[in-house]
Amino acid sequence: SDPADATESISALGDRVVVKLADVAHRTEHDAVRVGLAPVDVPAAIAELRAIAERDCLPSTIAIQTMVAGHGEAFAGLQGRTSLGAVTLMGVGGVLVEVMRQVAGRFLPVSAADANRLAGEIADLVGNLRGQRPWPRPALAEVVRGIDRLWREHSEWLSSIDLNPIIVTADGAVIVDALLLG
């Protein structure tokens, strides 16, 4: 209720956090994300974001999470209701998914080999850019297999998944934002 009272709890998340409007698709278009904030700066960010929510008629719920550092951003998703059947997609993430329009996909269900090939296509795309560190194919393939498992278990209501960004680290992939729609 009082953002200033939460500073100590927020500090437990680390010295840098992300503050964003929850339950809002395409937050960057609303300027509804604050990245790399010190916990002491969170109350002001909450006030700014709630003003944006009011201005743009958006939900005012705030999400605060640990800042995850990495060397790339990936996107993965699902479109469960296409005319050809369910498909999973993967590409370069963040806002670049819309700028680059470089995504690859597979029809569901996917085998482990198909998931590995899909992850490899994206890892190779980024790996061919000068100065880029390699992306961990096994971790990206596990994201694809996870989407496949979600679809198999929840296809009666699940129509789409948007995992963006997935922070690519030296140790793997961390999904920091997800939108699942029925």
Side-chain angles (χ1 to χ4, degrees), residues 27-77:
R27 289 179 191 94
T28 54
E29 293 173 13
H30 294 280
D31 190 30
V33 180
R34 303 294 180 267
V35 178
L37 297 180
V40 70
D41 297 325
V42 169
I46 290 172
E48 289 175 13
L49 293 174
R50 288 204 168 131
I52 289 168
E54 184 175 334
R55 177 194 74 204
D56 294 354
C57 298
L58 300 169
S60 63
T61 304
I62 302 291
I64 303 169
Q65 62 194 76
T66 301
M67 178 80 183
V68 177
H71 60 273
E73 293 183 351
F75 154 81

mmCIF file of all heavy atoms in Angstrom, residues 27-77:
data_model
loop_
_atom_site.group_PDB
_atom_site.id
_atom_site.type_symbol
_atom_site.label_atom_id
_atom_site.label_comp_id
_atom_site.label_asym_id
_atom_site.label_seq_id
_atom_site.Cartn_x
_atom_site.Cartn_y
_atom_site.Cartn_z
ATOM 1 N N ARG A 27 4.554 -3.430 -23.093
ATOM 2 C CA ARG A 27 4.805 -2.374 -22.100
ATOM 3 C C ARG A 27 5.664 -1.240 -22.634
ATOM 4 O O ARG A 27 5.465 -0.094 -22.268
ATOM 5 C CB ARG A 27 5.483 -2.983 -20.872
ATOM 6 C CG ARG A 27 4.603 -3.836 -20.051
ATOM 7 C CD ARG A 27 5.393 -4.415 -18.869
ATOM 8 N NE ARG A 27 4.606 -5.429 -18.248
ATOM 9 C CZ ARG A 27 4.694 -6.721 -18.540
ATOM 10 N NH1 ARG A 27 5.573 -7.132 -19.397
ATOM 11 N NH2 ARG A 27 3.922 -7.587 -17.943
ATOM 12 N N THR A 28 6.661 -1.583 -23.462
ATOM 13 C CA THR A 28 7.568 -0.531 -23.931
ATOM 14 C C THR A 28 6.831 0.528 -24.737
ATOM 15 O O THR A 28 7.233 1.689 -24.735
ATOM 16 C CB THR A 28 8.716 -1.120 -24.774
ATOM 17 O OG1 THR A 28 8.174 -1.909 -25.829
ATOM 18 C CG2 THR A 28 9.635 -1.963 -23.910
ATOM 19 N N GLU A 29 5.749 0.151 -25.410
ATOM 20 C CA GLU A 29 4.973 1.125 -26.173
ATOM 21 C C GLU A 29 4.262 2.121 -25.268
ATOM 22 O O GLU A 29 3.888 3.206 -25.705
ATOM 23 C CB GLU A 29 3.967 0.407 -27.071
ATOM 24 C CG GLU A 29 4.638 -0.393 -28.161
ATOM 25 C CD GLU A 29 3.663 -1.234 -28.958
ATOM 26 O OE1 GLU A 29 2.439 -1.031 -28.835
ATOM 27 O OE2 GLU A 29 4.147 -2.092 -29.715
ATOM 28 N N HIS A 30 4.087 1.748 -24.019
ATOM 29 C CA HIS A 30 3.455 2.641 -23.039
ATOM 30 C C HIS A 30 4.491 3.290 -22.120
ATOM 31 O O HIS A 30 4.113 4.002 -21.193
ATOM 32 C CB HIS A 30 2.457 1.857 -22.181
ATOM 33 C CG HIS A 30 1.290 1.340 -22.941
ATOM 34 N ND1 HIS A 30 0.209 2.128 -23.267
ATOM 35 C CD2 HIS A 30 1.031 0.109 -23.451
ATOM 36 C CE1 HIS A 30 -0.671 1.406 -23.944
ATOM 37 N NE2 HIS A 30 -0.198 0.186 -24.074
ATOM 38 N N ASP A 31 5.777 3.005 -22.353
ATOM 39 C CA ASP A 31 6.846 3.470 -21.453
ATOM 40 C C ASP A 31 6.581 2.978 -20.040
ATOM 41 O O ASP A 31 6.737 3.701 -19.058
ATOM 42 C CB ASP A 31 6.960 4.997 -21.484
ATOM 43 C CG ASP A 31 8.210 5.497 -20.769
ATOM 44 O OD1 ASP A 31 9.230 4.785 -20.746
ATOM 45 O OD2 ASP A 31 8.150 6.616 -20.194
ATOM 46 N N ALA A 32 6.177 1.714 -19.936
ATOM 47 C CA ALA A 32 5.709 1.161 -18.661
ATOM 48 C C ALA A 32 6.685 0.170 -18.039
ATOM 49 O O ALA A 32 6.283 -0.745 -17.320
ATOM 50 C CB ALA A 32 4.349 0.516 -18.858
ATOM 51 N N VAL A 33 7.987 0.343 -18.306
ATOM 52 C CA VAL A 33 9.022 -0.509 -17.721
ATOM 53 C C VAL A 33 10.171 0.377 -17.272
ATOM 54 O O VAL A 33 10.596 1.269 -18.011
ATOM 55 C CB VAL A 33 9.569 -1.537 -18.745
ATOM 56 C CG1 VAL A 33 10.644 -2.404 -18.122
ATOM 57 C CG2 VAL A 33 8.462 -2.382 -19.321
ATOM 58 N N ARG A 34 10.661 0.118 -16.082
ATOM 59 C CA ARG A 34 11.851 0.795 -15.569
ATOM 60 C C ARG A 34 12.874 -0.287 -15.250
ATOM 61 O O ARG A 34 12.613 -1.190 -14.460
ATOM 62 C CB ARG A 34 11.543 1.612 -14.307
ATOM 63 C CG ARG A 34 10.451 2.665 -14.482
ATOM 64 C CD ARG A 34 10.892 3.771 -15.448
ATOM 65 N NE ARG A 34 9.865 4.778 -15.618
ATOM 66 C CZ ARG A 34 8.945 4.776 -16.569
ATOM 67 N NH1 ARG A 34 8.906 3.794 -17.447
ATOM 68 N NH2 ARG A 34 8.046 5.743 -16.666
ATOM 69 N N VAL A 35 14.048 -0.204 -15.873
ATOM 70 C CA VAL A 35 15.055 -1.245 -15.792
ATOM 71 C C VAL A 35 16.285 -0.739 -15.044
ATOM 72 O O VAL A 35 16.706 0.402 -15.229
ATOM 73 C CB VAL A 35 15.456 -1.700 -17.215
ATOM 74 C CG1 VAL A 35 16.552 -2.748 -17.186
ATOM 75 C CG2 VAL A 35 14.246 -2.207 -17.970
ATOM 76 N N GLY A 36 16.859 -1.606 -14.204
ATOM 77 C CA GLY A 36 18.118 -1.299 -13.540
ATOM 78 C C GLY A 36 18.018 -0.292 -12.413
ATOM 79 O O GLY A 36 18.966 0.431 -12.134
ATOM 80 N N LEU A 37 16.888 -0.261 -11.740
ATOM 81 C CA LEU A 37 16.705 0.703 -10.650
ATOM 82 C C LEU A 37 17.309 0.199 -9.349
ATOM 83 O O LEU A 37 17.253 -0.994 -9.051
ATOM 84 C CB LEU A 37 15.210 0.950 -10.413
ATOM 85 C CG LEU A 37 14.403 1.562 -11.543
ATOM 86 C CD1 LEU A 37 12.957 1.718 -11.106
ATOM 87 C CD2 LEU A 37 14.979 2.892 -11.976
ATOM 88 N N ALA A 38 17.822 1.116 -8.570
ATOM 89 C CA ALA A 38 18.206 0.809 -7.194
ATOM 90 C C ALA A 38 16.916 0.724 -6.374
ATOM 91 O O ALA A 38 15.938 1.435 -6.674
ATOM 92 C CB ALA A 38 19.115 1.896 -6.642
ATOM 93 N N PRO A 39 16.869 -0.126 -5.362
ATOM 94 C CA PRO A 39 15.644 -0.251 -4.559
ATOM 95 C C PRO A 39 15.112 1.084 -4.031
ATOM 96 O O PRO A 39 13.902 1.278 -3.965
ATOM 97 C CB PRO A 39 16.057 -1.193 -3.431
ATOM 98 C CG PRO A 39 17.105 -2.062 -4.058
ATOM 99 C CD PRO A 39 17.877 -1.116 -4.959
ATOM 100 N N VAL A 40 15.974 2.004 -3.708
ATOM 101 C CA VAL A 40 15.534 3.289 -3.179
ATOM 102 C C VAL A 40 14.753 4.096 -4.221
ATOM 103 O O VAL A 40 13.949 4.967 -3.871
ATOM 104 C CB VAL A 40 16.736 4.086 -2.626
ATOM 105 C CG1 VAL A 40 17.659 4.566 -3.739
ATOM 106 C CG2 VAL A 40 16.281 5.222 -1.746
ATOM 107 N N ASP A 41 14.957 3.784 -5.507
ATOM 108 C CA ASP A 41 14.273 4.514 -6.580
ATOM 109 C C ASP A 41 12.922 3.901 -6.958
ATOM 110 O O ASP A 41 12.199 4.454 -7.788
ATOM 111 C CB ASP A 41 15.160 4.568 -7.829
ATOM 112 C CG ASP A 41 16.438 5.341 -7.571
ATOM 113 O OD1 ASP A 41 16.400 6.329 -6.801
ATOM 114 O OD2 ASP A 41 17.488 4.960 -8.136
ATOM 115 N N VAL A 42 12.579 2.773 -6.365
ATOM 116 C CA VAL A 42 11.348 2.065 -6.731
ATOM 117 C C VAL A 42 10.083 2.859 -6.415
ATOM 118 O O VAL A 42 9.169 2.905 -7.243
ATOM 119 C CB VAL A 42 11.336 0.656 -6.101
ATOM 120 C CG1 VAL A 42 9.980 -0.004 -6.235
ATOM 121 C CG2 VAL A 42 12.420 -0.200 -6.745
ATOM 122 N N PRO A 43 9.961 3.485 -5.242
ATOM 123 C CA PRO A 43 8.715 4.226 -4.976
ATOM 124 C C PRO A 43 8.387 5.274 -6.042
ATOM 125 O O PRO A 43 7.225 5.395 -6.459
ATOM 126 C CB PRO A 43 8.952 4.862 -3.609
ATOM 127 C CG PRO A 43 9.922 3.934 -2.948
ATOM 128 C CD PRO A 43 10.831 3.481 -4.057
ATOM 129 N N ALA A 44 9.375 6.012 -6.512
ATOM 130 C CA ALA A 44 9.133 7.012 -7.558
ATOM 131 C C ALA A 44 8.713 6.330 -8.865
ATOM 132 O O ALA A 44 7.820 6.819 -9.571
ATOM 133 C CB ALA A 44 10.376 7.867 -7.779
ATOM 134 N N ALA A 45 9.330 5.197 -9.179
ATOM 135 C CA ALA A 45 8.971 4.474 -10.393
ATOM 136 C C ALA A 45 7.536 3.954 -10.312
ATOM 137 O O ALA A 45 6.792 3.998 -11.299
ATOM 138 C CB ALA A 45 9.945 3.316 -10.625
ATOM 139 N N ILE A 46 7.134 3.474 -9.149
ATOM 140 C CA ILE A 46 5.763 2.999 -8.971
ATOM 141 C C ILE A 46 4.774 4.139 -9.218
ATOM 142 O O ILE A 46 3.770 3.956 -9.918
ATOM 143 C CB ILE A 46 5.572 2.388 -7.569
ATOM 144 C CG1 ILE A 46 6.330 1.059 -7.473
ATOM 145 C CG2 ILE A 46 4.097 2.191 -7.247
ATOM 146 C CD1 ILE A 46 6.377 0.470 -6.078
ATOM 147 N N ALA A 47 5.072 5.299 -8.685
ATOM 148 C CA ALA A 47 4.184 6.446 -8.892
ATOM 149 C C ALA A 47 4.090 6.803 -10.376
ATOM 150 O O ALA A 47 2.991 7.066 -10.895
ATOM 151 C CB ALA A 47 4.676 7.636 -8.081
ATOM 152 N N GLU A 48 5.228 6.801 -11.082
ATOM 153 C CA GLU A 48 5.220 7.091 -12.520
ATOM 154 C C GLU A 48 4.389 6.065 -13.287
ATOM 155 O O GLU A 48 3.597 6.428 -14.163
ATOM 156 C CB GLU A 48 6.654 7.059 -13.071
ATOM 157 C CG GLU A 48 7.529 8.192 -12.651
ATOM 158 C CD GLU A 48 8.968 7.998 -13.143
ATOM 159 O OE1 GLU A 48 9.217 7.116 -14.004
ATOM 160 O OE2 GLU A 48 9.851 8.730 -12.662
ATOM 161 N N LEU A 49 4.589 4.797 -12.966
ATOM 162 C CA LEU A 49 3.894 3.741 -13.698
ATOM 163 C C LEU A 49 2.394 3.757 -13.427
ATOM 164 O O LEU A 49 1.587 3.507 -14.331
ATOM 165 C CB LEU A 49 4.495 2.382 -13.359
ATOM 166 C CG LEU A 49 5.938 2.180 -13.855
ATOM 167 C CD1 LEU A 49 6.502 0.867 -13.339
ATOM 168 C CD2 LEU A 49 6.016 2.261 -15.363
ATOM 169 N N ARG A 50 2.020 4.055 -12.214
ATOM 170 C CA ARG A 50 0.580 4.139 -11.923
ATOM 171 C C ARG A 50 -0.061 5.321 -12.647
ATOM 172 O O ARG A 50 -1.213 5.241 -13.080
ATOM 173 C CB ARG A 50 0.357 4.200 -10.415
ATOM 174 C CG ARG A 50 0.650 2.838 -9.782
ATOM 175 C CD ARG A 50 -0.055 2.616 -8.488
ATOM 176 N NE ARG A 50 0.053 1.219 -8.100
ATOM 177 C CZ ARG A 50 0.426 0.809 -6.903
ATOM 178 N NH1 ARG A 50 0.706 1.688 -5.950
ATOM 179 N NH2 ARG A 50 0.490 -0.475 -6.641
ATOM 180 N N ALA A 51 0.692 6.401 -12.813
ATOM 181 C CA ALA A 51 0.171 7.539 -13.585
ATOM 182 C C ALA A 51 0.003 7.145 -15.058
ATOM 183 O O ALA A 51 -0.982 7.520 -15.698
ATOM 184 C CB ALA A 51 1.111 8.742 -13.450
ATOM 185 N N ILE A 52 0.943 6.366 -15.590
ATOM 186 C CA ILE A 52 0.828 5.874 -16.969
ATOM 187 C C ILE A 52 -0.384 4.957 -17.098
ATOM 188 O O ILE A 52 -1.134 5.039 -18.069
ATOM 189 C CB ILE A 52 2.127 5.156 -17.394
ATOM 190 C CG1 ILE A 52 3.245 6.189 -17.564
ATOM 191 C CG2 ILE A 52 1.923 4.338 -18.675
ATOM 192 C CD1 ILE A 52 4.630 5.594 -17.710
ATOM 193 N N ALA A 53 -0.574 4.084 -16.113
ATOM 194 C CA ALA A 53 -1.722 3.167 -16.131
ATOM 195 C C ALA A 53 -3.027 3.954 -16.169
ATOM 196 O O ALA A 53 -3.939 3.632 -16.940
ATOM 197 C CB ALA A 53 -1.681 2.241 -14.925
ATOM 198 N N GLU A 54 -3.106 4.994 -15.360
ATOM 199 C CA GLU A 54 -4.330 5.807 -15.343
ATOM 200 C C GLU A 54 -4.520 6.527 -16.668
ATOM 201 O O GLU A 54 -5.610 6.525 -17.242
ATOM 202 C CB GLU A 54 -4.276 6.812 -14.192
ATOM 203 C CG GLU A 54 -5.553 7.606 -14.055
ATOM 204 C CD GLU A 54 -5.540 8.512 -12.836
ATOM 205 O OE1 GLU A 54 -4.833 8.231 -11.860
ATOM 206 O OE2 GLU A 54 -6.261 9.524 -12.883
ATOM 207 N N ARG A 55 -3.434 7.107 -17.176
ATOM 208 C CA ARG A 55 -3.501 7.857 -18.437
ATOM 209 C C ARG A 55 -3.934 6.968 -19.604
ATOM 210 O O ARG A 55 -4.728 7.373 -20.441
ATOM 211 C CB ARG A 55 -2.121 8.462 -18.730
ATOM 212 C CG ARG A 55 -2.027 9.218 -20.046
ATOM 213 C CD ARG A 55 -0.601 9.497 -20.461
ATOM 214 N NE ARG A 55 0.011 8.252 -20.935
ATOM 215 C CZ ARG A 55 1.310 8.022 -20.947
ATOM 216 N NH1 ARG A 55 2.165 8.927 -20.493
ATOM 217 N NH2 ARG A 55 1.785 6.876 -21.394
ATOM 218 N N ASP A 56 -3.394 5.727 -19.654
ATOM 219 C CA ASP A 56 -3.636 4.841 -20.792
ATOM 220 C C ASP A 56 -4.726 3.794 -20.526
ATOM 221 O O ASP A 56 -4.894 2.875 -21.323
ATOM 222 C CB ASP A 56 -2.334 4.127 -21.178
ATOM 223 C CG ASP A 56 -1.283 5.098 -21.712
ATOM 224 O OD1 ASP A 56 -1.581 6.283 -21.896
ATOM 225 O OD2 ASP A 56 -0.141 4.644 -21.935
ATOM 226 N N CYS A 57 -5.432 3.942 -19.401
ATOM 227 C CA CYS A 57 -6.514 3.007 -19.037
ATOM 228 C C CYS A 57 -6.007 1.557 -19.003
ATOM 229 O O CYS A 57 -6.597 0.652 -19.594
ATOM 230 C CB CYS A 57 -7.703 3.125 -19.982
ATOM 231 S SG CYS A 57 -8.453 4.760 -19.952
ATOM 232 N N LEU A 58 -4.902 1.357 -18.290
ATOM 233 C CA LEU A 58 -4.284 0.039 -18.155
ATOM 234 C C LEU A 58 -4.413 -0.443 -16.721
ATOM 235 O O LEU A 58 -4.582 0.368 -15.804
ATOM 236 C CB LEU A 58 -2.795 0.120 -18.521
ATOM 237 C CG LEU A 58 -2.461 0.573 -19.934
ATOM 238 C CD1 LEU A 58 -0.972 0.857 -20.066
ATOM 239 C CD2 LEU A 58 -2.904 -0.488 -20.933
ATOM 240 N N PRO A 59 -4.274 -1.747 -16.500
ATOM 241 C CA PRO A 59 -4.248 -2.244 -15.122
ATOM 242 C C PRO A 59 -3.082 -1.599 -14.365
ATOM 243 O O PRO A 59 -2.002 -1.401 -14.918
ATOM 244 C CB PRO A 59 -4.028 -3.748 -15.281
ATOM 245 C CG PRO A 59 -4.468 -4.067 -16.669
ATOM 246 C CD PRO A 59 -4.188 -2.831 -17.478
ATOM 247 N N SER A 60 -3.295 -1.276 -13.094
ATOM 248 C CA SER A 60 -2.277 -0.545 -12.330
ATOM 249 C C SER A 60 -1.411 -1.443 -11.450
ATOM 250 O O SER A 60 -0.585 -0.945 -10.690
ATOM 251 C CB SER A 60 -2.944 0.523 -11.467
ATOM 252 O OG SER A 60 -3.803 -0.086 -10.521
ATOM 253 N N THR A 61 -1.563 -2.758 -11.574
ATOM 254 C CA THR A 61 -0.751 -3.668 -10.776
ATOM 255 C C THR A 61 0.708 -3.555 -11.205
ATOM 256 O O THR A 61 1.014 -3.514 -12.397
ATOM 257 C CB THR A 61 -1.234 -5.123 -10.944
ATOM 258 O OG1 THR A 61 -2.613 -5.177 -10.602
ATOM 259 C CG2 THR A 61 -0.436 -6.076 -10.080
ATOM 260 N N ILE A 62 1.588 -3.516 -10.219
ATOM 261 C CA ILE A 62 3.023 -3.347 -10.455
ATOM 262 C C ILE A 62 3.738 -4.667 -10.199
ATOM 263 O O ILE A 62 3.451 -5.363 -9.222
ATOM 264 C CB ILE A 62 3.605 -2.271 -9.516
ATOM 265 C CG1 ILE A 62 2.896 -0.921 -9.701
ATOM 266 C CG2 ILE A 62 5.108 -2.147 -9.674
ATOM 267 C CD1 ILE A 62 3.148 -0.237 -11.005
ATOM 268 N N ALA A 63 4.691 -5.001 -11.060
ATOM 269 C CA ALA A 63 5.575 -6.153 -10.853
ATOM 270 C C ALA A 63 6.977 -5.631 -10.611
ATOM 271 O O ALA A 63 7.443 -4.718 -11.303
ATOM 272 C CB ALA A 63 5.563 -7.064 -12.070
ATOM 273 N N ILE A 64 7.630 -6.187 -9.602
ATOM 274 C CA ILE A 64 9.010 -5.830 -9.275
ATOM 275 C C ILE A 64 9.796 -7.130 -9.268
ATOM 276 O O ILE A 64 9.407 -8.090 -8.603
ATOM 277 C CB ILE A 64 9.111 -5.144 -7.901
ATOM 278 C CG1 ILE A 64 8.211 -3.911 -7.861
ATOM 279 C CG2 ILE A 64 10.568 -4.772 -7.605
ATOM 280 C CD1 ILE A 64 8.049 -3.316 -6.476
ATOM 281 N N GLN A 65 10.888 -7.161 -10.020
ATOM 282 C CA GLN A 65 11.667 -8.391 -10.084
ATOM 283 C C GLN A 65 13.157 -8.082 -10.159
ATOM 284 O O GLN A 65 13.565 -6.971 -10.499
ATOM 285 C CB GLN A 65 11.227 -9.243 -11.268
ATOM 286 C CG GLN A 65 11.426 -8.596 -12.615
ATOM 287 C CD GLN A 65 10.681 -9.323 -13.712
ATOM 288 O OE1 GLN A 65 9.468 -9.202 -13.825
ATOM 289 N NE2 GLN A 65 11.404 -10.062 -14.530
ATOM 290 N N THR A 66 13.934 -9.097 -9.855
ATOM 291 C CA THR A 66 15.382 -8.992 -9.918
ATOM 292 C C THR A 66 15.816 -8.675 -11.346
ATOM 293 O O THR A 66 15.274 -9.229 -12.302
ATOM 294 C CB THR A 66 16.020 -10.322 -9.473
ATOM 295 O OG1 THR A 66 15.600 -10.600 -8.145
ATOM 296 C CG2 THR A 66 17.524 -10.272 -9.545
ATOM 297 N N MET A 67 16.791 -7.822 -11.485
ATOM 298 C CA MET A 67 17.382 -7.526 -12.792
ATOM 299 C C MET A 67 18.286 -8.693 -13.157
ATOM 300 O O MET A 67 19.167 -9.065 -12.392
ATOM 301 C CB MET A 67 18.188 -6.227 -12.698
ATOM 302 C CG MET A 67 18.881 -5.832 -13.942
ATOM 303 S SD MET A 67 17.724 -5.039 -15.041
ATOM 304 C CE MET A 67 18.774 -4.772 -16.431
ATOM 305 N N VAL A 68 18.042 -9.299 -14.313
ATOM 306 C CA VAL A 68 18.841 -10.426 -14.780
ATOM 307 C C VAL A 68 19.771 -9.924 -15.876
ATOM 308 O O VAL A 68 19.307 -9.368 -16.882
ATOM 309 C CB VAL A 68 17.939 -11.557 -15.319
ATOM 310 C CG1 VAL A 68 18.784 -12.698 -15.863
ATOM 311 C CG2 VAL A 68 16.990 -12.045 -14.237
ATOM 312 N N ALA A 69 21.065 -10.116 -15.670
ATOM 313 C CA ALA A 69 22.050 -9.690 -16.660
ATOM 314 C C ALA A 69 22.350 -10.842 -17.609
ATOM 315 O O ALA A 69 22.385 -11.999 -17.208
ATOM 316 C CB ALA A 69 23.330 -9.241 -15.964
ATOM 317 N N GLY A 70 22.537 -10.513 -18.858
ATOM 318 C CA GLY A 70 22.871 -11.520 -19.847
ATOM 319 C C GLY A 70 23.540 -10.888 -21.043
ATOM 320 O O GLY A 70 23.851 -9.702 -21.031
ATOM 321 N N HIS A 71 23.752 -11.682 -22.076
ATOM 322 C CA HIS A 71 24.391 -11.163 -23.280
ATOM 323 C C HIS A 71 23.480 -11.229 -24.504
ATOM 324 O O HIS A 71 23.925 -11.041 -25.633
ATOM 325 C CB HIS A 71 25.732 -11.861 -23.544
ATOM 326 C CG HIS A 71 25.640 -13.333 -23.731
ATOM 327 N ND1 HIS A 71 25.674 -14.213 -22.669
ATOM 328 C CD2 HIS A 71 25.512 -14.097 -24.833
ATOM 329 C CE1 HIS A 71 25.584 -15.451 -23.130
ATOM 330 N NE2 HIS A 71 25.479 -15.400 -24.437
ATOM 331 N N GLY A 72 22.204 -11.453 -24.274
ATOM 332 C CA GLY A 72 21.264 -11.452 -25.381
ATOM 333 C C GLY A 72 19.841 -11.621 -24.893
ATOM 334 O O GLY A 72 19.609 -11.954 -23.728
ATOM 335 N N GLU A 73 18.902 -11.386 -25.784
ATOM 336 C CA GLU A 73 17.481 -11.564 -25.481
ATOM 337 C C GLU A 73 16.855 -12.398 -26.580
ATOM 338 O O GLU A 73 17.027 -12.107 -27.772
ATOM 339 C CB GLU A 73 16.756 -10.219 -25.383
ATOM 340 C CG GLU A 73 17.186 -9.374 -24.217
ATOM 341 C CD GLU A 73 16.394 -8.079 -24.114
ATOM 342 O OE1 GLU A 73 15.622 -7.745 -25.041
ATOM 343 O OE2 GLU A 73 16.553 -7.385 -23.098
ATOM 344 N N ALA A 74 16.127 -13.419 -26.169
ATOM 345 C CA ALA A 74 15.412 -14.273 -27.109
ATOM 346 C C ALA A 74 13.917 -14.112 -26.899
ATOM 347 O O ALA A 74 13.473 -13.560 -25.890
ATOM 348 C CB ALA A 74 15.817 -15.741 -26.904
ATOM 349 N N PHE A 75 13.166 -14.598 -27.862
ATOM 350 C CA PHE A 75 11.717 -14.652 -27.816
ATOM 351 C C PHE A 75 11.315 -16.088 -28.121
ATOM 352 O O PHE A 75 11.923 -16.747 -28.968
ATOM 353 C CB PHE A 75 11.117 -13.731 -28.884
ATOM 354 C CG PHE A 75 9.740 -14.141 -29.337
ATOM 355 C CD1 PHE A 75 8.628 -13.807 -28.591
ATOM 356 C CD2 PHE A 75 9.558 -14.894 -30.490
ATOM 357 C CE1 PHE A 75 7.357 -14.203 -28.989
ATOM 358 C CE2 PHE A 75 8.293 -15.287 -30.897
ATOM 359 C CZ PHE A 75 7.191 -14.939 -30.145
ATOM 360 N N ALA A 76 10.294 -16.573 -27.437
ATOM 361 C CA ALA A 76 9.685 -17.852 -27.798
ATOM 362 C C ALA A 76 8.185 -17.711 -27.596
ATOM 363 O O ALA A 76 7.729 -16.963 -26.738
ATOM 364 C CB ALA A 76 10.239 -18.992 -26.954
ATOM 365 N N GLY A 77 7.434 -18.430 -28.401
ATOM 366 C CA GLY A 77 5.998 -18.299 -28.283
ATOM 367 C C GLY A 77 5.250 -19.466 -28.883
ATOM 368 O O GLY A 77 5.835 -20.407 -29.423
#
